[in-house]
């Protein structure tokens, strides 16, 4: 769980703010109440006995480091059932990533001094007994103080080499563009791994572009673009030194960080005679860091390649243009505005004609995936609220319930008698066998089917056998999600297969065998899209209880409901998804008439945009990978031709564009991971029939799990006991 501001950690450290956040934990600025100084607290949520033992061992080693360019580790501790913590010096100022965003490229001599300082720090680490690898050298971990001092920070992923064994204080990190091939698991890492990452960091500082990814280069998919091809003014000797540090084969790199440092200093006449240890550079101007953070780095969409490594992505906007160029550019913009107006007018006329001709076919396609309500032969009378919320807001801009829903301040638990489902057996076909062994979890998947008329929650073995109903509610049941122990299911009722926003619905909990059914919430408007927290203590959900779509949590110990999001009434927040460690929640939000994926803490703080897709491609239905390093989501294109892709974005690359998983045939919708992360269950189609399918996490080896003529949707993989 994310620590709140003002919380006292370990009876000593008062949390002041969150400095950063990742899948494994957060970094906080805190005040040491004993000494009255600011510190940085690094949190790691792995708490197994073996991991805690390694953590203590390595924290002690790190605490004994004394080098001018390294932050000191001053404390470490483990809080049982909560997390592990490193306490380090807090360094004010900007990091190298922020400086590059502010200045585009850096001058040669400044890059040399940064490289020399980092080389000195790395040589010190690599020379310890036992040696220490940093493993995560990148611009964001190079800090520049207000005095121009240079520090290597963040030891949360450090490795300590002891003989032939390597112990780790954090999960293996791969930062595309900055990590060498061996860090992806192709070979054993050693000090030359850090040398590669430092070279890539200096490459980005000199060129303003993230270098081509090391693994892609090792597989001969791409080649490293020479430094001087991107920045011709960089000195030849400096470019050669940086490129040598980034060789794919570790034997071709500098073999020690000190060799790299010497080569950097020798590449310029101004630095080749420097021998002092304190390589200071020009301090940053007094610019608030918040404004520096807002500088856009989203240039990936302008490149023809959609590559996972985000290779060749400019880090900063172009340099300022001359007044004459600006005037010419403005004139071109005016001409293009008029041309776009004509094109839009033509498109509207043609679209209207096409809609008139083909409306029945278009409606059927959209209805197949619940994007609009399916047309019925007999019109029915519905309330204004149902009319406003029937269609998915992705396609219905007016989908809101701001006038008719009264907010409810308190929750009342309504116990309901146990209902044991009774169904006649439904014959099922044998699923199509896998063409390739998948190697995922054995187990079961909960899903929703209207095969018996009303949608109900069913259970199926991952081999396609043993389909049986779990619920039997007259108003239907849908959107199941498992408790982390795999013993209970939370779901929603009433519901319809074709309805997206479930007005008037409530949350229910039932045992996996269909017994002990109880109603969890009763609120005006409706509660739906439940997600059970990894610790089993809370359920996040979407609700209309305050008049428009917002995300809430309910504490299962006392039934207290807490609102997490507080957006404008025309901004919908929905579809919560817990991170594996329970400290973050991904969700989709409609802003400026388009849906985006955002992440916030489990208490609703520090909201951050994850994906940037624009107005024609909208991002929905996020789900975390089991290791917390990536988020899968669906990307939906609007217009007459509607399609839904499965996309992925690494948490480290948040704020950019996602990557198409390339799972075909489309659509692949509403995915859920197996516990080992090897398989995906999802909703797919065969003609007009919606069924549950399985495939590998990379999008291969698809197999159809259900084959009933009814609609099968909402898959949820049962956790292993």
């Amino acid at each position: 769980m994310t620590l709140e501001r003002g919380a006292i950690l370990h009876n000593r450290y008062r949390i002041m703010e969150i400095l950063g956040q990742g899948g494994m934990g957060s970094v906080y600025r805190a005040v040491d109440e004993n000494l009255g100084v600011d510190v940085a607290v690094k949190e790691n949520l792995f708490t197994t006995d073996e991991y805690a033992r390694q953590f203590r061992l390595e924290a002690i080693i790190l605490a004994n480091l004394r080098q001018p360019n390294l932050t000191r580790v001053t404390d470490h501790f483990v809080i049982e059932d909560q997390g592990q913590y490193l306490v380090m010096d807090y360094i004010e100022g900007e990091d190298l990533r922020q400086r590059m965003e502010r200045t585009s490229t850096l001058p040669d001599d400044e890059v040399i001094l940064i490289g020399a300082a980092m080389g000195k720090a790395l040589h010190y680490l690599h020379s310890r007994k036992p040696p220490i690898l940093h493993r995560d050298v990148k611009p964001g971990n190079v800090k520049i103080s207000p005095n121009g001092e240079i520090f290597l920070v963040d030891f949360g992923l450090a490795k300590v080499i002891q003989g032939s064994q390597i112990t780790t204080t954090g999960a293996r990190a791969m930062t595309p563009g900055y990590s060498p091939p061996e860090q992806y698991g192709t070979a054993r890492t050693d000090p030359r791994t850090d040398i590669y990452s430092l070279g890539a960091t200096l490459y980005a500082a000199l060129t303003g572009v993230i270098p081509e990814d090391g693994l892609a280069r090792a597989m001969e998919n791409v080649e490293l673009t020479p430094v001087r091809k991107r920045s011709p003014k960089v000195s030849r000797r400096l470019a050669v030194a940086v490129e040598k540090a980034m060789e794919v084969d570790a034997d071709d790199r500098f073999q020690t960080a000190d060799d790299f440092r010497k080569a950097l200093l020798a590449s310029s006449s101004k630095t080749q005679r420097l021998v002092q240890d304190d390589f200071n550079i020009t301090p940053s101007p007094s610019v608030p860091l918040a404004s520096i953070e807002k500088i856009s780095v989203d240039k990936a969409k302008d490149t023809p390649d959609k590559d996972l490594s985000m290779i060749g992505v400019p880090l900063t906007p172009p340099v300022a243009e001359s007044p004459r160029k600006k005037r010419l550019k403005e004139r071109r913009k005016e001409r293009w505005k008029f041309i776009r107006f004509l094109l839009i007018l033509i498109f509207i006329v043609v679209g209207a004609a096409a809609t008139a001709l083909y409306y029945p076919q278009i409606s059927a396609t959209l209805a197949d995936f619940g994007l609009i309500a399916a047309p019925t032969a007999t019109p029915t009378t519905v309330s204004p609220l149902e009319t406003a919320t029937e269609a998915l807001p992705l396609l219905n801009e007016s989908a809101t319930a701001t006038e008719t829903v009264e907010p409810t301040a308190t929750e009342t638990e309504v116990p309901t008698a146990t209902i044991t489902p009774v169904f006649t057996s439904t014959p099922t076909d044998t699923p199509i066998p896998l063409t390739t062994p998948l190697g995922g979890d054995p187990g079961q998947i909960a899903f929703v089917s209207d095969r018996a008329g009303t949608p109900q929650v069913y259970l199926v073995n991952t081999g396609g056998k043993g389909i049986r109903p779990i619920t039997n509610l007259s108003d239907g049941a849908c959107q199941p999600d498992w408790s982390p122990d795999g013993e209970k299911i939370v779901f929603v009722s009433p519901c319809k297969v074709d309805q997206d926003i479930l007005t008037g619905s409530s949350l229910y909990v039932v045992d996996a065998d269909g017994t002990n059914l109880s109603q969890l919430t009763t609120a005006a408007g409706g509660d739906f899209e439940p997600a059970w927290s990894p610790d089993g203590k809370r359920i996040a959900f979407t609700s209309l209880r305050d008049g428009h779509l917002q995300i809430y949590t309910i504490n299962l110990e006392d039934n207290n409901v807490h609102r997490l999001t507080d957006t404008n009434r025309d901004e919908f927040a929905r579809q919560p998804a817990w991170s594996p460690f329970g400290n973050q929640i991904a969700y989709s939000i409609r802003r400026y008439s388009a849906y985006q994926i955002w992440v916030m803490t489990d208490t609703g703080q520090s909201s951050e945009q994850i994906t940037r897709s624009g107005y024609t491609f909208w991002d929905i239905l996020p789900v975390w990978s089991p290791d917390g390093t990536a988020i899968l989501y669906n990307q939906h294109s609007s217009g007459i031709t509607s399609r839904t892709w499965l996309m992925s974005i690494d948490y480290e690359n948040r704020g950019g564009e996602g990557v198409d998983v390339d799972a075909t045939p489309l659509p692949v919708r509403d995915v859920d991971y197996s516990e080992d992360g090897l398989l995906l269950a999802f909703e797919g189609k065969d003609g007009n029939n919606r069924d549950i399918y399985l495939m590998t996490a990379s999008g291969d080896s698809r197999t159809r799990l259900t084959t009933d003529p009814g609609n099968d949707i909402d898959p949820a993989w049962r956790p292993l006991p």
Side-chain angles (χ1 to χ4, degrees), residues 317-341:
V319 295
E321 297 171 317
S322 67
R324 179 175 178 274
K325 286 186 177 180
K326 285 184 178 179
R327 287 194 298 271
L328 290 173
K329 194 172 183 179
E330 289 299 321
R331 290 174 186 171
R332 293 192 196 102
K333 283 183 179 180
E334 292 300 322
R335 286 197 296 269
W336 274 109
K337 283 181 182 178
F338 179 73
I339 294 172
R340 281 198 300 269
F341 171 77

PDB file of all heavy atoms in Angstrom, residues 317-341:
ATOM      1  N   PRO A 317      11.597  18.789 -27.746  1.00  0.00           N
ATOM      2  CA  PRO A 317      11.100  19.445 -28.943  1.00  0.00           C
ATOM      3  C   PRO A 317      12.248  20.059 -29.730  1.00  0.00           C
ATOM      4  O   PRO A 317      13.352  20.240 -29.221  1.00  0.00           O
ATOM      5  CB  PRO A 317      10.166  20.536 -28.384  1.00  0.00           C
ATOM      6  CG  PRO A 317       9.906  20.143 -26.965  1.00  0.00           C
ATOM      7  CD  PRO A 317      11.117  19.398 -26.517  1.00  0.00           C
ATOM      8  N   PRO A 318      12.037  20.413 -31.014  1.00  0.00           N
ATOM      9  CA  PRO A 318      13.081  21.041 -31.803  1.00  0.00           C
ATOM     10  C   PRO A 318      13.472  22.390 -31.232  1.00  0.00           C
ATOM     11  O   PRO A 318      12.731  22.996 -30.469  1.00  0.00           O
ATOM     12  CB  PRO A 318      12.451  21.197 -33.199  1.00  0.00           C
ATOM     13  CG  PRO A 318      11.181  20.445 -33.173  1.00  0.00           C
ATOM     14  CD  PRO A 318      10.815  20.218 -31.752  1.00  0.00           C
ATOM     15  N   VAL A 319      14.633  22.871 -31.635  1.00  0.00           N
ATOM     16  CA  VAL A 319      15.091  24.175 -31.185  1.00  0.00           C
ATOM     17  C   VAL A 319      14.207  25.247 -31.785  1.00  0.00           C
ATOM     18  O   VAL A 319      13.486  25.043 -32.758  1.00  0.00           O
ATOM     19  CB  VAL A 319      16.563  24.415 -31.601  1.00  0.00           C
ATOM     20  CG1 VAL A 319      17.463  23.440 -30.892  1.00  0.00           C
ATOM     21  CG2 VAL A 319      16.725  24.291 -33.105  1.00  0.00           C
ATOM     22  N   ALA A 320      14.243  26.441 -31.194  1.00  0.00           N
ATOM     23  CA  ALA A 320      13.381  27.542 -31.624  1.00  0.00           C
ATOM     24  C   ALA A 320      13.633  27.905 -33.084  1.00  0.00           C
ATOM     25  O   ALA A 320      14.770  27.932 -33.554  1.00  0.00           O
ATOM     26  CB  ALA A 320      13.604  28.747 -30.722  1.00  0.00           C
ATOM     27  N   GLU A 321      12.552  28.223 -33.816  1.00  0.00           N
ATOM     28  CA  GLU A 321      12.663  28.576 -35.220  1.00  0.00           C
ATOM     29  C   GLU A 321      12.826  30.086 -35.372  1.00  0.00           C
ATOM     30  O   GLU A 321      12.467  30.866 -34.491  1.00  0.00           O
ATOM     31  CB  GLU A 321      11.404  28.111 -35.956  1.00  0.00           C
ATOM     32  CG  GLU A 321      11.212  26.611 -35.936  1.00  0.00           C
ATOM     33  CD  GLU A 321       9.849  26.227 -36.479  1.00  0.00           C
ATOM     34  OE1 GLU A 321       8.870  26.898 -36.117  1.00  0.00           O
ATOM     35  OE2 GLU A 321       9.784  25.273 -37.261  1.00  0.00           O
ATOM     36  N   SER A 322      13.336  30.491 -36.528  1.00  0.00           N
ATOM     37  CA  SER A 322      13.494  31.908 -36.820  1.00  0.00           C
ATOM     38  C   SER A 322      12.129  32.537 -37.055  1.00  0.00           C
ATOM     39  O   SER A 322      11.165  31.860 -37.424  1.00  0.00           O
ATOM     40  CB  SER A 322      14.357  32.093 -38.065  1.00  0.00           C
ATOM     41  OG  SER A 322      13.685  31.599 -39.201  1.00  0.00           O
ATOM     42  N   PRO A 323      11.970  33.886 -36.891  1.00  0.00           N
ATOM     43  CA  PRO A 323      10.682  34.547 -37.132  1.00  0.00           C
ATOM     44  C   PRO A 323      10.166  34.309 -38.545  1.00  0.00           C
ATOM     45  O   PRO A 323       8.970  34.129 -38.746  1.00  0.00           O
ATOM     46  CB  PRO A 323      11.002  36.019 -36.873  1.00  0.00           C
ATOM     47  CG  PRO A 323      12.165  36.001 -35.939  1.00  0.00           C
ATOM     48  CD  PRO A 323      12.976  34.805 -36.338  1.00  0.00           C
ATOM     49  N   ARG A 324      11.083  34.318 -39.551  1.00  0.00           N
ATOM     50  CA  ARG A 324      10.626  34.118 -40.930  1.00  0.00           C
ATOM     51  C   ARG A 324      10.029  32.727 -41.102  1.00  0.00           C
ATOM     52  O   ARG A 324       8.969  32.544 -41.710  1.00  0.00           O
ATOM     53  CB  ARG A 324      11.805  34.308 -41.893  1.00  0.00           C
ATOM     54  CG  ARG A 324      11.425  34.099 -43.356  1.00  0.00           C
ATOM     55  CD  ARG A 324      12.609  34.426 -44.258  1.00  0.00           C
ATOM     56  NE  ARG A 324      12.271  34.180 -45.644  1.00  0.00           N
ATOM     57  CZ  ARG A 324      12.382  32.998 -46.247  1.00  0.00           C
ATOM     58  NH1 ARG A 324      12.791  31.958 -45.551  1.00  0.00           N
ATOM     59  NH2 ARG A 324      12.048  32.841 -47.514  1.00  0.00           N
ATOM     60  N   LYS A 325      10.706  31.707 -40.538  1.00  0.00           N
ATOM     61  CA  LYS A 325      10.195  30.343 -40.632  1.00  0.00           C
ATOM     62  C   LYS A 325       8.861  30.206 -39.919  1.00  0.00           C
ATOM     63  O   LYS A 325       7.963  29.488 -40.350  1.00  0.00           O
ATOM     64  CB  LYS A 325      11.209  29.352 -40.053  1.00  0.00           C
ATOM     65  CG  LYS A 325      12.409  29.114 -40.952  1.00  0.00           C
ATOM     66  CD  LYS A 325      13.290  28.029 -40.378  1.00  0.00           C
ATOM     67  CE  LYS A 325      14.463  27.714 -41.307  1.00  0.00           C
ATOM     68  NZ  LYS A 325      15.325  26.656 -40.752  1.00  0.00           N
ATOM     69  N   LYS A 326       8.731  30.916 -38.780  1.00  0.00           N
ATOM     70  CA  LYS A 326       7.476  30.851 -38.054  1.00  0.00           C
ATOM     71  C   LYS A 326       6.328  31.419 -38.887  1.00  0.00           C
ATOM     72  O   LYS A 326       5.226  30.869 -38.916  1.00  0.00           O
ATOM     73  CB  LYS A 326       7.586  31.624 -36.732  1.00  0.00           C
ATOM     74  CG  LYS A 326       8.393  30.893 -35.668  1.00  0.00           C
ATOM     75  CD  LYS A 326       8.369  31.677 -34.374  1.00  0.00           C
ATOM     76  CE  LYS A 326       9.131  30.924 -33.277  1.00  0.00           C
ATOM     77  NZ  LYS A 326       9.137  31.665 -32.010  1.00  0.00           N
ATOM     78  N   ARG A 327       6.599  32.565 -39.583  1.00  0.00           N
ATOM     79  CA  ARG A 327       5.541  33.174 -40.403  1.00  0.00           C
ATOM     80  C   ARG A 327       5.133  32.240 -41.534  1.00  0.00           C
ATOM     81  O   ARG A 327       3.946  32.070 -41.828  1.00  0.00           O
ATOM     82  CB  ARG A 327       6.020  34.518 -40.961  1.00  0.00           C
ATOM     83  CG  ARG A 327       6.088  35.631 -39.919  1.00  0.00           C
ATOM     84  CD  ARG A 327       6.226  36.979 -40.592  1.00  0.00           C
ATOM     85  NE  ARG A 327       7.439  37.098 -41.372  1.00  0.00           N
ATOM     86  CZ  ARG A 327       8.607  37.529 -40.886  1.00  0.00           C
ATOM     87  NH1 ARG A 327       8.681  37.882 -39.608  1.00  0.00           N
ATOM     88  NH2 ARG A 327       9.674  37.599 -41.636  1.00  0.00           N
ATOM     89  N   LEU A 328       6.140  31.622 -42.210  1.00  0.00           N
ATOM     90  CA  LEU A 328       5.829  30.685 -43.286  1.00  0.00           C
ATOM     91  C   LEU A 328       5.036  29.494 -42.762  1.00  0.00           C
ATOM     92  O   LEU A 328       4.108  29.007 -43.410  1.00  0.00           O
ATOM     93  CB  LEU A 328       7.126  30.200 -43.949  1.00  0.00           C
ATOM     94  CG  LEU A 328       7.887  31.241 -44.776  1.00  0.00           C
ATOM     95  CD1 LEU A 328       9.220  30.683 -45.233  1.00  0.00           C
ATOM     96  CD2 LEU A 328       7.056  31.694 -45.980  1.00  0.00           C
ATOM     97  N   LYS A 329       5.433  29.044 -41.561  1.00  0.00           N
ATOM     98  CA  LYS A 329       4.741  27.904 -40.985  1.00  0.00           C
ATOM     99  C   LYS A 329       3.293  28.239 -40.669  1.00  0.00           C
ATOM    100  O   LYS A 329       2.386  27.431 -40.877  1.00  0.00           O
ATOM    101  CB  LYS A 329       5.480  27.465 -39.709  1.00  0.00           C
ATOM    102  CG  LYS A 329       5.068  26.101 -39.203  1.00  0.00           C
ATOM    103  CD  LYS A 329       5.982  25.676 -38.070  1.00  0.00           C
ATOM    104  CE  LYS A 329       5.629  24.277 -37.601  1.00  0.00           C
ATOM    105  NZ  LYS A 329       6.517  23.834 -36.503  1.00  0.00           N
ATOM    106  N   GLU A 330       3.052  29.475 -40.166  1.00  0.00           N
ATOM    107  CA  GLU A 330       1.696  29.882 -39.856  1.00  0.00           C
ATOM    108  C   GLU A 330       0.841  29.964 -41.110  1.00  0.00           C
ATOM    109  O   GLU A 330      -0.333  29.591 -41.104  1.00  0.00           O
ATOM    110  CB  GLU A 330       1.704  31.244 -39.133  1.00  0.00           C
ATOM    111  CG  GLU A 330       2.247  31.189 -37.715  1.00  0.00           C
ATOM    112  CD  GLU A 330       1.418  30.271 -36.842  1.00  0.00           C
ATOM    113  OE1 GLU A 330       0.179  30.270 -36.985  1.00  0.00           O
ATOM    114  OE2 GLU A 330       2.006  29.547 -36.029  1.00  0.00           O
ATOM    115  N   ARG A 331       1.443  30.457 -42.208  1.00  0.00           N
ATOM    116  CA  ARG A 331       0.687  30.527 -43.461  1.00  0.00           C
ATOM    117  C   ARG A 331       0.300  29.133 -43.943  1.00  0.00           C
ATOM    118  O   ARG A 331      -0.809  28.914 -44.421  1.00  0.00           O
ATOM    119  CB  ARG A 331       1.524  31.242 -44.528  1.00  0.00           C
ATOM    120  CG  ARG A 331       1.701  32.743 -44.265  1.00  0.00           C
ATOM    121  CD  ARG A 331       2.656  33.347 -45.273  1.00  0.00           C
ATOM    122  NE  ARG A 331       2.936  34.738 -44.943  1.00  0.00           N
ATOM    123  CZ  ARG A 331       3.875  35.469 -45.551  1.00  0.00           C
ATOM    124  NH1 ARG A 331       4.602  34.932 -46.514  1.00  0.00           N
ATOM    125  NH2 ARG A 331       4.064  36.715 -45.196  1.00  0.00           N
ATOM    126  N   ARG A 332       1.263  28.203 -43.850  1.00  0.00           N
ATOM    127  CA  ARG A 332       0.950  26.834 -44.254  1.00  0.00           C
ATOM    128  C   ARG A 332      -0.172  26.263 -43.391  1.00  0.00           C
ATOM    129  O   ARG A 332      -1.046  25.553 -43.883  1.00  0.00           O
ATOM    130  CB  ARG A 332       2.196  25.950 -44.125  1.00  0.00           C
ATOM    131  CG  ARG A 332       3.304  26.293 -45.107  1.00  0.00           C
ATOM    132  CD  ARG A 332       4.366  25.210 -45.107  1.00  0.00           C
ATOM    133  NE  ARG A 332       5.580  25.666 -45.735  1.00  0.00           N
ATOM    134  CZ  ARG A 332       6.666  26.049 -45.067  1.00  0.00           C
ATOM    135  NH1 ARG A 332       6.666  25.993 -43.741  1.00  0.00           N
ATOM    136  NH2 ARG A 332       7.737  26.476 -45.702  1.00  0.00           N
ATOM    137  N   LYS A 333      -0.134  26.570 -42.096  1.00  0.00           N
ATOM    138  CA  LYS A 333      -1.169  26.083 -41.199  1.00  0.00           C
ATOM    139  C   LYS A 333      -2.541  26.594 -41.611  1.00  0.00           C
ATOM    140  O   LYS A 333      -3.532  25.860 -41.596  1.00  0.00           O
ATOM    141  CB  LYS A 333      -0.869  26.502 -39.750  1.00  0.00           C
ATOM    142  CG  LYS A 333       0.213  25.685 -39.074  1.00  0.00           C
ATOM    143  CD  LYS A 333       0.369  26.133 -37.632  1.00  0.00           C
ATOM    144  CE  LYS A 333       1.442  25.305 -36.922  1.00  0.00           C
ATOM    145  NZ  LYS A 333       1.610  25.740 -35.517  1.00  0.00           N
ATOM    146  N   GLU A 334      -2.611  27.894 -41.990  1.00  0.00           N
ATOM    147  CA  GLU A 334      -3.892  28.464 -42.392  1.00  0.00           C
ATOM    148  C   GLU A 334      -4.422  27.787 -43.644  1.00  0.00           C
ATOM    149  O   GLU A 334      -5.613  27.496 -43.749  1.00  0.00           O
ATOM    150  CB  GLU A 334      -3.740  29.974 -42.617  1.00  0.00           C
ATOM    151  CG  GLU A 334      -3.474  30.778 -41.349  1.00  0.00           C
ATOM    152  CD  GLU A 334      -4.607  30.633 -40.344  1.00  0.00           C
ATOM    153  OE1 GLU A 334      -5.779  30.584 -40.781  1.00  0.00           O
ATOM    154  OE2 GLU A 334      -4.314  30.557 -39.145  1.00  0.00           O
ATOM    155  N   ARG A 335      -3.505  27.537 -44.614  1.00  0.00           N
ATOM    156  CA  ARG A 335      -3.940  26.868 -45.839  1.00  0.00           C
ATOM    157  C   ARG A 335      -4.443  25.456 -45.531  1.00  0.00           C
ATOM    158  O   ARG A 335      -5.465  25.009 -46.057  1.00  0.00           O
ATOM    159  CB  ARG A 335      -2.787  26.808 -46.850  1.00  0.00           C
ATOM    160  CG  ARG A 335      -2.474  28.147 -47.504  1.00  0.00           C
ATOM    161  CD  ARG A 335      -1.650  27.953 -48.764  1.00  0.00           C
ATOM    162  NE  ARG A 335      -0.350  27.375 -48.494  1.00  0.00           N
ATOM    163  CZ  ARG A 335       0.752  28.098 -48.253  1.00  0.00           C
ATOM    164  NH1 ARG A 335       0.686  29.421 -48.244  1.00  0.00           N
ATOM    165  NH2 ARG A 335       1.895  27.508 -48.023  1.00  0.00           N
ATOM    166  N   TRP A 336      -3.696  24.760 -44.671  1.00  0.00           N
ATOM    167  CA  TRP A 336      -4.095  23.400 -44.338  1.00  0.00           C
ATOM    168  C   TRP A 336      -5.395  23.357 -43.548  1.00  0.00           C
ATOM    169  O   TRP A 336      -6.172  22.410 -43.665  1.00  0.00           O
ATOM    170  CB  TRP A 336      -2.989  22.695 -43.549  1.00  0.00           C
ATOM    171  CG  TRP A 336      -1.976  22.069 -44.457  1.00  0.00           C
ATOM    172  CD1 TRP A 336      -0.697  22.473 -44.672  1.00  0.00           C
ATOM    173  CD2 TRP A 336      -2.188  20.930 -45.299  1.00  0.00           C
ATOM    174  NE1 TRP A 336      -0.094  21.676 -45.593  1.00  0.00           N
ATOM    175  CE2 TRP A 336      -0.976  20.704 -46.003  1.00  0.00           C
ATOM    176  CE3 TRP A 336      -3.269  20.094 -45.533  1.00  0.00           C
ATOM    177  CZ2 TRP A 336      -0.826  19.680 -46.909  1.00  0.00           C
ATOM    178  CZ3 TRP A 336      -3.120  19.061 -46.441  1.00  0.00           C
ATOM    179  CH2 TRP A 336      -1.912  18.865 -47.124  1.00  0.00           C
ATOM    180  N   LYS A 337      -5.654  24.387 -42.741  1.00  0.00           N
ATOM    181  CA  LYS A 337      -6.925  24.446 -42.029  1.00  0.00           C
ATOM    182  C   LYS A 337      -8.094  24.465 -43.001  1.00  0.00           C
ATOM    183  O   LYS A 337      -9.105  23.782 -42.817  1.00  0.00           O
ATOM    184  CB  LYS A 337      -6.968  25.683 -41.125  1.00  0.00           C
ATOM    185  CG  LYS A 337      -6.173  25.554 -39.836  1.00  0.00           C
ATOM    186  CD  LYS A 337      -6.302  26.813 -39.011  1.00  0.00           C
ATOM    187  CE  LYS A 337      -5.473  26.717 -37.727  1.00  0.00           C
ATOM    188  NZ  LYS A 337      -5.558  27.966 -36.932  1.00  0.00           N
ATOM    189  N   PHE A 338      -7.950  25.291 -44.077  1.00  0.00           N
ATOM    190  CA  PHE A 338      -9.020  25.393 -45.064  1.00  0.00           C
ATOM    191  C   PHE A 338      -9.185  24.074 -45.814  1.00  0.00           C
ATOM    192  O   PHE A 338     -10.300  23.591 -46.041  1.00  0.00           O
ATOM    193  CB  PHE A 338      -8.721  26.534 -46.035  1.00  0.00           C
ATOM    194  CG  PHE A 338      -9.758  26.697 -47.113  1.00  0.00           C
ATOM    195  CD1 PHE A 338     -11.002  27.227 -46.819  1.00  0.00           C
ATOM    196  CD2 PHE A 338      -9.503  26.307 -48.423  1.00  0.00           C
ATOM    197  CE1 PHE A 338     -11.970  27.376 -47.799  1.00  0.00           C
ATOM    198  CE2 PHE A 338     -10.463  26.452 -49.401  1.00  0.00           C
ATOM    199  CZ  PHE A 338     -11.698  26.977 -49.096  1.00  0.00           C
ATOM    200  N   ILE A 339      -8.033  23.440 -46.172  1.00  0.00           N
ATOM    201  CA  ILE A 339      -8.094  22.158 -46.881  1.00  0.00           C
ATOM    202  C   ILE A 339      -8.734  21.094 -45.996  1.00  0.00           C
ATOM    203  O   ILE A 339      -9.568  20.303 -46.445  1.00  0.00           O
ATOM    204  CB  ILE A 339      -6.682  21.728 -47.324  1.00  0.00           C
ATOM    205  CG1 ILE A 339      -6.147  22.715 -48.386  1.00  0.00           C
ATOM    206  CG2 ILE A 339      -6.691  20.306 -47.874  1.00  0.00           C
ATOM    207  CD1 ILE A 339      -4.704  22.501 -48.742  1.00  0.00           C
ATOM    208  N   ARG A 340      -8.343  21.079 -44.701  1.00  0.00           N
ATOM    209  CA  ARG A 340      -8.929  20.095 -43.791  1.00  0.00           C
ATOM    210  C   ARG A 340     -10.428  20.296 -43.647  1.00  0.00           C
ATOM    211  O   ARG A 340     -11.198  19.348 -43.561  1.00  0.00           O
ATOM    212  CB  ARG A 340      -8.248  20.181 -42.413  1.00  0.00           C
ATOM    213  CG  ARG A 340      -6.889  19.490 -42.357  1.00  0.00           C
ATOM    214  CD  ARG A 340      -6.482  19.212 -40.933  1.00  0.00           C
ATOM    215  NE  ARG A 340      -6.374  20.426 -40.158  1.00  0.00           N
ATOM    216  CZ  ARG A 340      -5.247  21.131 -40.031  1.00  0.00           C
ATOM    217  NH1 ARG A 340      -4.148  20.720 -40.639  1.00  0.00           N
ATOM    218  NH2 ARG A 340      -5.219  22.220 -39.310  1.00  0.00           N
ATOM    219  N   PHE A 341     -10.861  21.599 -43.639  1.00  0.00           N
ATOM    220  CA  PHE A 341     -12.288  21.882 -43.539  1.00  0.00           C
ATOM    221  C   PHE A 341     -13.043  21.289 -44.713  1.00  0.00           C
ATOM    222  O   PHE A 341     -14.101  20.661 -44.554  1.00  0.00           O
ATOM    223  CB  PHE A 341     -12.507  23.389 -43.463  1.00  0.00           C
ATOM    224  CG  PHE A 341     -13.952  23.799 -43.584  1.00  0.00           C
ATOM    225  CD1 PHE A 341     -14.806  23.659 -42.498  1.00  0.00           C
ATOM    226  CD2 PHE A 341     -14.461  24.288 -44.779  1.00  0.00           C
ATOM    227  CE1 PHE A 341     -16.135  24.017 -42.601  1.00  0.00           C
ATOM    228  CE2 PHE A 341     -15.788  24.646 -44.890  1.00  0.00           C
ATOM    229  CZ  PHE A 341     -16.634  24.517 -43.805  1.00  0.00           C
TER     230      PHE A 341
END
